[in-house]
Amino acid sequence: MRGGDAQDSTGLTAPEDGAGERLVAVREGVLNDVEHAVGNLLQRMHHAVRSSRAEMGAHGERLELALDDLERLLDLLFGYVSPVSVDLRATDAGRVAESLAAQLRGQGVEVAVAAAPAVQVLADPRALGRSFQLLAESRHWEGAFAIEVRHDAGAERVEFAVRGAADAAPPVAQRTLAAAVAGRLIDLQGGELCPGEHGGCAVTLPEAR
């Protein structure tokens, strides 16, 4: 538990300075049951749409796209509230920067990676890869970007800053939730996700000692 957190009688923790926040308890067994039920419901809905696609024509196609969007949104929502275990291990900062760059390039943009210092960070490769994927999907990237890696030896932190001009489009539910899940996964690894200038962002991870 982080310093400054308080634990109530239910065993749940909440930041002491979050006076205006409300804590919601989610039991893992209940969450699994709900996720299974929602998955079955979506599967039946997709089957019904495909079965009557010829009769519905363009309306059926739009309905199937809407179901895809709903499925994506629910997947992100469950990803935000589901318990996650992280396996932290030392990883070269250069590899982390390239992993982030690969996800951004997957969005069709040009990304240059500056030479990273010879330092390692503590991270869970799987959770970190997922967070970078969601971060790349959380906004509309357009143009050229650069990833700069800065080692703060005093604070024992390593920052991966994405500099560029991402499109500041109006918030979309899926993008907002994708950013929230990405931030949650990074936070669970002892890191931090912060907004940067002109739509960029910065991911900070603990240095491996």
Side-chain angles (χ1 to χ4, degrees):
M1 181 166 46
R2 293 185 177 183
D5 287 2
Q7 188 169 33
D8 64 16
S9 59
T10 64
L12 300 172
T13 60
E16 291 179 348
D17 58 356
E21 296 180 2
R22 299 178 63 185
L23 187 64
V24 180
V26 181
R27 293 189 180 275
E28 188 172 357
V30 174
L31 185 64
N32 290 337
D33 289 343
V34 172
E35 189 172 13
H36 181 70
V38 169
N40 286 339
L41 176 60
L42 286 169
Q43 189 175 26
R44 293 199 300 271
M45 293 173 71
H46 274 293
H47 178 72
V49 170
R50 285 192 294 268
S51 298
S52 54
R53 181 79 173 269
E55 299 175 13
M56 293 190 293
H59 293 292
E61 183 177 352
R62 286 195 294 270
L63 179 56
E64 191 159 14
L65 289 174
L67 282 176
D68 288 338
D69 286 341
L70 175 60
E71 193 167 8
R72 171 67 173 157
L73 189 62
L74 289 172
D75 180 62
L76 288 169
L77 181 59
F78 281 115
Y80 185 76
V81 299
S82 297
V84 176
S85 297
V86 294
D87 180 17
L88 300 178
R89 60 189 70 176
T91 306
D92 289 337
R95 292 186 61 186
V96 172
E98 287 295 344
S99 175
L100 176 56
Q103 293 295 339
L104 296 177
R105 290 175 185 135
Q107 300 298 311
V109 298
E110 179 183 342
V111 183
V113 181
V119 63
Q120 293 185 319
V121 297
L122 271 181
D124 181 321
R126 187 172 183 178
L128 194 60
R130 174 64 171 159
S131 65
F132 287 166
Q133 177 191 12
L134 292 169
L135 181 60
E137 296 173 359
S138 69
R139 64 193 70 191
H140 178 64
W141 307 88
E142 187 174 357
F145 292 83
I147 297 178
E148 299 176 7
V149 185
R150 186 176 68 88
H151 176 211
D152 186 341
E156 298 183 357
R157 312 284 285 179
V158 180
E159 180 187 73
F160 302 85
V162 181
R163 309 197 186 282
D167 184 13
V172 178
Q174 288 190 12
R175 288 181 178 175
T176 301
L177 193 49
V181 178
R184 173 179 180 265
L185 289 173
I186 292 170
D187 182 67
L188 287 173
Q189 298 171 81
E192 187 178 10
L193 172 61
C194 298
E197 297 180 356
H198 310 297
C201 62
V203 175
T204 304
L205 294 169
E207 179 185 356
R209 303 297 292 176

